[in-house]
Amino acid sequence: MLIGQFCCFASYSQAKELIYKINEGLPKGILIGAIGADLKLDFNADPPLSFNLASKKISGQYVNLNNTTGELYTSAKEIDRESLCMENPGNQECTLSLDVLILPQQYFRLIKIKIVIKDINDNAPRFPTSEIQVFVPENAQINSRFAIEHSAVDPDVGIHGVQTYWLVNDYGVFTLDVEETENGELTPFLIVIGTLDRETKNEYVTSIIAEDGGSPQLLGTATLKIIITDVNDNCPVFTESQINVTVYGNSTTGTHVTRVHAFDSDLGSNADITYAYSERVFQTTKSLFHLDPVSGIIKLVGKIDGNTAQFHKLSILAKGPGCIPAVAQVTVNIIKVVFNPPVIIPRYIATELDGTIYLKESEAAYSPIAFFTIKDPDQKQKVECFLEGDGPFRLSPYKTFVNEYLLETTDSLDYETRTDYELTVFAKNSQGILIKSFLKVQVIDENDNAPVFKQPLVDLFIEENNAPNTFLTKLHATDIDSGERGEILYILGPDAPSVFVLDKITGVLMVSTSLDREEKEKYRFTVRALDCGSPHMESIASVVITVLDRNDNSPRFINKDFSFFVPENFPGFGEIGIISVTDADSGKNGWVALSIVNGSDIFVIDTGRGALRAKVPLDREQQSSYFIWIEAVDGGDPALSSVTMVTVLLLDVNDNPPLVLFPQSNLSYMLVLPTTLPGTSITEVYAVDKDTGMNAVIAYSIIGRRGPRPESFEINPNTGNITLQEALMKNDYGLYRLLVKVSDHGQPVPLHSTVMVNLFVNETVSNESYIESLLRKEPEIKIEERPPEKLLVPTKKRIEPFPCLPGLIVLSALCLALLLVVILMAAYICLKKQRKHRSKEKRLDIEIPLNTNNDFRANEKKLMEISNI
């Protein structure tokens, strides 16, 4: 933007300077000004005009010049007024100066370009320090002003600079005022608008805000700490403001006249008191009586003669720092005598300095302090000597010596009870002349008191898993002795674990590591408080630290997994077993609840005892084992849990009798040929038992028999195989019925089943209906108490021999011939019968079993077919 031209003419005029104003902080490419247009140059000139910077000075880095049009733009280097014109204070103008050459030579001009950089509010006020301290005396009057030396600075100028200050919290007793200095800077002043009392509040902490005038306004902040300093707001006060003293004219130099005493309730240097004579006291009086500026003791230092005035008024000032002196009036009456009054001559046994006797508090009762000798120039006068003053002291004549008096203690002294005493020794003769001797007894403190703990038993609680170096407590003991005798050191007792650390100066007790309640729940140890006297005295306190539980332990089952063996048919809700679980935590963190994750429709568990029970009867034959997951959850927040597996194995109970699978019916039968040889397996009884173990071991026995010769058949007790024991004869033909008992080996009572085995001994089945009718009849079988013994050798009928052997041979040949004929006839009948059956399309198969022990299924099929005939 063109602001002005000192000379602006038409083309090729002699313009000397162009002035432009821009804001600081503009980005690259912003037009500053068009030099050629502002100079109204002719751009149609031939050769064409060319614009060039005369030199690449620092100023040239901030601008780009179009050599053809003469337009001036901001460059990539940002213009920061505060950096560019750092040395320009206040509101002085910040400018960039450029020289632009217009070429070629015939149009040559040198143009001065002045770019004025305008300030923007791009800087916030800033305090030189983050914390500012202002000291204000507690007796500061209302409207007192205190300059805040560390005022804020703002590199911006004008309205963008610091405009005002304010407090975040003035506490109702402060406010701020701002004054402008000669150079235009603003200085904040703290103004007191309320009453201050350092003993009530000794520090005010707030924030001071410096605010500029930009839009938006920018702020600077610092912590303002207002410290209230102590002032001497308590001045000395005399304990006695009027004192009358009598001094006899014959008193010697150094005689103690009296002592003035003032006190100041301030502390430290504010309580220092200095005694001095007022300017109103005559110099002659000052030369006669000396006042000690520290102790306030007045002594006679001049000689009393005939020219000495009788009355002397001593105005004594007690001066304190910053105080109006307190005034006490001492009137001294000098009695001139024509005779010599008594004289008190002290001789000190204890340590004495400037009239002050120093006694240790450990001094025993009746310890001698001093001898006082009373000298009476007039031997005719009677002299009385006595003591005035409070405290455990007495003055008494010493043995048989005349005018000798002993000052001694009557009881022990205690520095902690009282530190000093003021005593006066009087000597009075018969004329009433009274002589005084003043002395002060200062008790010297000794280390006679041990430290005392505020709490002799310290109970502390800390949660386990604490962070290292956790603060536990600050032990506190006091010692009423003074000086180093009252300074206390804290020391851990020898029984203290190494994990605890005690600061010997502050008494701060910490634990250096993380504690685990499950490892140790309580710590007990002692702490010593030791003073710095000689010899040392100490006291002991007990510390009990209880580690509080945190839920940092999951429930733990006693076993990794549990296995229980119970008999089947276990009664409902009977106790199967106990699931034992523990939790190392305590309280609700250690309370454990058990629940079944799976199988809750069959099993239930008692939360308290952990007893596992079955809600329904269990049958091993349906399911022999169960696998149950048990979850244990504690009562912590958040809760922790663990899981275990419980295996329940059912033990077999003999609750199933053997089941006979073959023969399938009591009405089935089997054809046994008479030619069957002894030892041949006829059939087999086959049974199974659903139980296991000995409960499923089956024994076979024949408990009932019926037939022509039923003892001819026996059964194998282990396999159930029925065999022929004896050869069958012709008269052995017929139906045999064997009642077989199938029994298991269960305990305590074996279970059994019975089955009827029917055997038809014949050469063929000629009349099936007849056999079936026999089978349907109720068997009249007597149950045997014991199974018959096995016949190891078949029984043979005895044949009587013929009288002669030849006849026997002929008979045998005839028999064989007859037998052959019978066999042929039987074969013929069978063939004929088969043809008859085929013609009637009726099929009848009769199988003669061989060894059913090897082919059970074939025998089962044969018996079924025979039973259906």
Side-chain angles (χ1 to χ4, degrees):
M1 179 178 66
L2 177 65
I3 300 303
Q5 301 175 359
F6 288 90
C7 297
C8 231
F9 300 95
S11 300
Y12 319 123
S13 64
Q14 298 298 318
K16 297 290 188 179
E17 187 175 36
L18 295 177
I19 301 176
Y20 300 101
K21 283 188 177 182
I22 62 171
N23 289 334
E24 63 174 323
L26 294 177
K28 178 182 178 182
I30 301 299
L31 179 65
I32 299 174
I35 298 173
D38 293 337
L39 293 177
K40 299 180 180 180
L41 299 179
D42 184 6
F43 287 94
N44 295 323
D46 187 20
L49 300 176
S50 174
F51 300 85
N52 297 278
L53 290 174
S55 63
K56 284 288 184 181
K57 299 187 296 182
I58 295 178
S59 299
Q61 299 176 9
Y62 295 97
V63 297
N64 291 328
L65 178 63
N66 189 311
N67 301 103
T68 303
T69 63
E71 293 174 338
L72 199 60
Y73 296 91
T74 56
S75 69
K77 188 175 179 64
E78 182 181 320
I79 299 175
D80 181 15
R81 191 197 66 84
E82 289 74 34
S83 299
L84 188 63
C85 301
M86 191 179 300
E87 298 179 357
N88 290 357
N91 293 323
Q92 292 187 12
E93 197 175 65
C94 179
T95 61
L96 286 175
S97 298
L98 303 172
D99 293 336
V100 177
L101 300 177
I102 300 177
L103 299 172
Q105 187 65 35
Q106 56 269 38
Y107 311 127
F108 175 78
R109 293 291 185 271
L110 175 61
I111 307 302
K112 295 287 188 179
I113 306 297
K114 184 178 181 182
I115 303 174
V116 179
I117 310 302
K118 295 168 60 180
D119 182 49
I120 65 172
N121 193 29
D122 58 343
N123 291 282
R126 184 174 59 84
F127 287 92
T129 180
S130 60
E131 181 178 289
I132 302 172
Q133 292 184 350
V134 177
F135 295 89
V136 178
E138 62 177 325
N139 63 344
Q141 300 298 314
I142 303 298
N143 295 326
S144 298
R145 301 166 67 85
F146 298 89
I148 299 176
E149 301 295 339
H150 301 286
S151 56
V153 294
D154 193 330
D156 298 327
V157 296
I159 194 65
H160 296 151
V162 177
Q163 297 299 309
T164 187
Y165 293 87
W166 48 278
L167 295 176
V168 173
N169 185 1
D170 58 13
Y171 295 96
V173 293
F174 300 103
T175 187
L176 281 182
D177 188 20
V178 180
E179 293 183 3
E180 186 175 354
T181 61
E182 295 180 356
N183 58 4
E185 294 181 356
L186 297 179
T187 301
F189 280 81
L190 183 69
I191 301 176
V192 180
I193 60 173
T195 303
L196 301 176
D197 185 3
R198 190 197 68 82
E199 287 72 27
T200 303
K201 190 174 179 65
N202 61 0
E203 186 177 85
Y204 297 85
V205 179
T206 184
S207 294
I208 182 171
I209 307 298
E211 185 178 286
D212 65 19
S215 180
Q217 293 172 324
L218 300 179
L219 307 178
T221 305
T223 299
L224 180 63
K225 185 178 289 186
I226 305 169
I227 300 173
I228 310 303
T229 60
D230 186 38
V231 297
N232 190 22
D233 51 354
N234 293 285
C235 291
V237 176
F238 278 103
T239 55
E240 291 183 272
S241 59
Q242 294 287 340
I243 300 175
N244 295 318
V245 181
T246 298
V247 176
Y248 293 96
N250 61 345
S251 298
T252 60
T253 300
T255 300
H256 184 95
V257 178
T258 189
R259 182 190 181 199
V260 294
H261 179 69
F263 68 92
D264 192 327
S265 56
D266 289 327
L267 299 174
S269 60
N270 289 334
D272 292 341
I273 298 175
T274 303
Y275 301 98
Y277 284 125
S278 170
E279 294 296 330
R280 298 179 181 179
V281 178
F282 297 115
Q283 185 61 39
T284 55
T285 301
K286 292 180 182 179
S287 60
L288 184 62
F289 301 101
H290 174 263
L291 172 64
D292 188 284
V294 177
S295 64
I297 295 176
I298 300 174
K299 290 183 178 182
L300 180 66
V301 293
K303 186 176 181 180
I304 300 175
D305 54 21
N307 296 324
T308 303
Q310 182 179 358
F311 292 98
H312 297 266
K313 291 186 177 182
L314 309 178
S315 295
I316 300 175
L317 305 179
K319 298 180 180 180
C323 289
I324 299 174
V327 180
Q329 195 74 32
V330 177
T331 301
V332 181
N333 179 22
I334 297 178
I335 299 177
K336 296 181 180 179
V337 292
V338 294
F339 56 87
N340 294 323
V343 177
I344 302 175
I345 303 175
R347 290 174 292 164
Y348 297 103
I349 301 173
T351 303
E352 183 270 342
L353 181 64
D354 294 331
T356 299
I357 299 172
Y358 296 91
L359 292 177
K360 294 180 180 181
E361 62 176 331
S362 60
E363 293 286 352
Y366 306 107
S367 296
I369 300 174
F371 280 108
F372 290 91
T373 300
I374 308 300
K375 287 188 177 182
D376 186 4
D378 190 352
Q379 298 294 330
K380 297 179 180 181
Q381 297 291 330
K382 183 179 179 181
V383 179
E384 296 180 0
C385 187
F386 55 93
L387 178 70
E388 282 190 0
D390 58 345
F393 304 98
R394 71 179 181 182
L395 182 68
S396 57
Y398 183 69
K399 295 183 178 181
T400 57
F401 295 98
V402 179
N403 295 334
E404 292 286 346
Y405 295 87
L406 174 65
L407 178 64
E408 61 184 352
T409 61
T410 60
D411 201 351
S412 59
L413 302 175
D414 187 4
Y415 176 87
E416 288 71 36
T417 302
R418 186 168 179 177
T419 59
D420 59 75
Y421 299 87
E422 291 184 355
L423 304 175
T424 304
V425 177
F426 292 91
K428 183 180 179 181
N429 62 12
S430 59
Q431 298 296 321
I433 299 176
L434 187 66
I435 301 298
K436 300 179 182 180
S437 178
F438 298 94
L439 66 148
K440 179 181 179 181
V441 176
Q442 179 68 50
V443 182
I444 301 175
D445 185 33
E446 291 189 307
N447 193 30
D448 59 340
N449 291 281
V452 177
F453 277 100
K454 184 177 180 181
Q455 292 178 283
L457 176 61
V458 182
D459 275 320
L460 302 175
F461 299 90
I462 182 174
E463 279 196 348
E464 63 176 329
N465 304 330
N466 56 284
N469 298 321
T470 297
F471 171 84
L472 294 176
T473 189
K474 185 178 187 298
L475 299 171
H476 181 66
T478 57
D479 193 324
I480 58 178
D481 291 327
S482 63
E484 66 179 7
R485 293 171 292 275
E487 296 177 1
I488 299 174
L489 300 178
Y490 300 92
I491 301 172
L492 286 172
D495 56 344
S498 59
V499 296
F500 296 102
V501 179
L502 179 63
D503 188 286
K504 66 178 182 179
I505 303 298
T506 63
V508 171
L509 180 65
M510 296 190 300
V511 55
S512 62
T513 187
S514 180
L515 300 179
D516 184 2
R517 188 202 67 84
E518 289 71 41
E519 180 180 338
K520 189 169 185 179
E521 186 174 4
K522 280 189 180 293
Y523 295 86
R524 301 175 185 271
F525 55 89
T526 57
V527 176
R528 300 164 57 204
L530 189 72
D531 64 24
C532 297
S534 180
H536 300 299
M537 298 192 73
E538 68 176 60
S539 62
I540 296 176
S542 297
V543 178
V544 178
I545 299 175
T546 302
V547 183
L548 301 178
D549 184 54
R550 296 182 68 178
N551 193 28
D552 58 344
N553 290 280
S554 300
R556 185 177 63 84
F557 288 96
I558 297 300
N559 300 325
K560 185 178 180 182
D561 49 41
F562 294 82
S563 296
F564 299 113
F565 296 86
V566 295
E568 60 177 331
N569 302 327
F570 198 67
F573 292 96
E575 186 176 291
I576 295 175
I578 300 295
I579 311 298
S580 300
V581 63
T582 61
D583 195 316
D585 296 322
S586 64
K588 67 176 184 179
N589 295 331
W591 180 85
V592 180
L594 298 175
S595 62
I596 299 177
V597 178
N598 64 323
S600 58
D601 55 337
I602 300 177
F603 297 95
V604 66
I605 190 167
D606 297 342
T607 295
R609 292 183 61 243
L612 182 66
R613 305 174 188 273
K615 297 191 289 186
V616 297
L618 304 178
D619 187 358
R620 189 202 63 80
E621 285 72 37
Q622 293 183 5
Q623 186 171 340
S624 62
S625 61
Y626 294 87
F627 300 96
I628 309 166
W629 289 100
I630 304 294
E631 182 181 29
V633 181
D634 63 23
D637 185 16
L640 300 177
S641 65
S642 60
V643 177
T644 189
M645 189 181 76
V646 177
T647 302
V648 178
L649 299 173
L650 298 183
L651 301 176
D652 185 51
V653 174
N654 192 26
D655 56 346
N656 291 281
L659 176 63
V660 178
L661 299 179
F662 184 84
Q664 294 181 341
S665 171
N666 288 335
L667 299 179
S668 62
Y669 65 96
M670 179 173 291
L671 178 63
V672 179
L673 295 177
T675 56
T676 304
L677 297 177
T680 301
S681 177
I682 305 301
T683 186
E684 181 182 22
V685 177
Y686 181 74
V688 294
D689 196 317
K690 294 181 180 179
D691 296 324
T692 60
M694 294 303 295
N695 295 331
V697 176
I698 298 175
Y700 302 89
S701 62
I702 298 174
I703 61 174
R705 302 168 185 265
R706 185 181 179 187
R709 195 156 51 94
E711 65 275 6
S712 300
F713 298 94
E714 287 297 333
I715 191 169
N716 188 304
N718 296 323
T719 64
N721 192 27
I722 297 176
T723 58
L724 179 63
Q725 298 295 311
E726 299 176 347
L728 298 174
M729 300 301 176
K730 186 174 182 178
N731 57 355
D732 293 338
Y733 287 27
L735 181 62
Y736 290 78
R737 309 199 73 178
L738 304 177
L739 182 59
V740 177
K741 180 181 179 180
V742 183
S743 177
D744 60 25
H745 284 63
Q747 292 296 331
V749 179
L751 301 179
H752 69 276
S753 300
T754 59
V755 65
M756 188 68 72
V757 179
N758 301 303
L759 303 174
F760 185 64
V761 177
N762 202 355
E763 295 176 354
T764 182
V765 179
S766 59
N767 192 345
E768 297 177 9
S769 59
Y770 171 72
I771 298 175
E772 291 176 358
S773 65
L774 291 177
L775 294 175
R776 290 190 181 95
K777 291 181 180 180
E778 290 296 327
E780 296 178 1
I781 299 178
K782 184 179 180 181
I783 304 300
E784 298 178 358
E785 294 298 328
R786 294 182 182 179
E789 295 182 0
K790 296 180 181 180
L791 299 176
L792 299 179
V793 179
T795 303
K796 295 183 181 180
K797 291 185 179 181
R798 186 179 178 131
I799 301 175
E800 294 294 333
F802 284 93
C804 59
L805 185 59
L808 180 59
I809 296 173
V810 173
L811 182 60
S812 298
L814 290 175
C815 290
L816 288 174
L818 181 61
L819 180 62
L820 179 60
V821 172
V822 171
I823 293 174
L824 292 174
M825 288 179 66
Y828 173 77
I829 293 171
C830 290
L831 291 174
K832 185 177 180 181
K833 192 175 182 178
Q834 287 180 1
R835 291 192 188 99
K836 184 178 178 181
H837 285 181
R838 290 194 189 102
S839 63
K840 295 181 180 180
E841 297 182 354
K842 183 178 179 181
R843 183 177 180 184
L844 174 62
D845 293 330
I846 299 176
E847 301 288 343
I848 299 177
L850 297 177
N851 191 348
T852 57
N853 198 27
N854 298 327
D855 194 358
F856 166 75
R857 293 187 178 178
N859 290 343
E860 180 182 6
K861 181 177 179 182
K862 294 169 186 176
L863 282 178
M864 289 179 64
E865 291 175 348
I866 293 173
S867 64
N868 293 330
I869 296 175

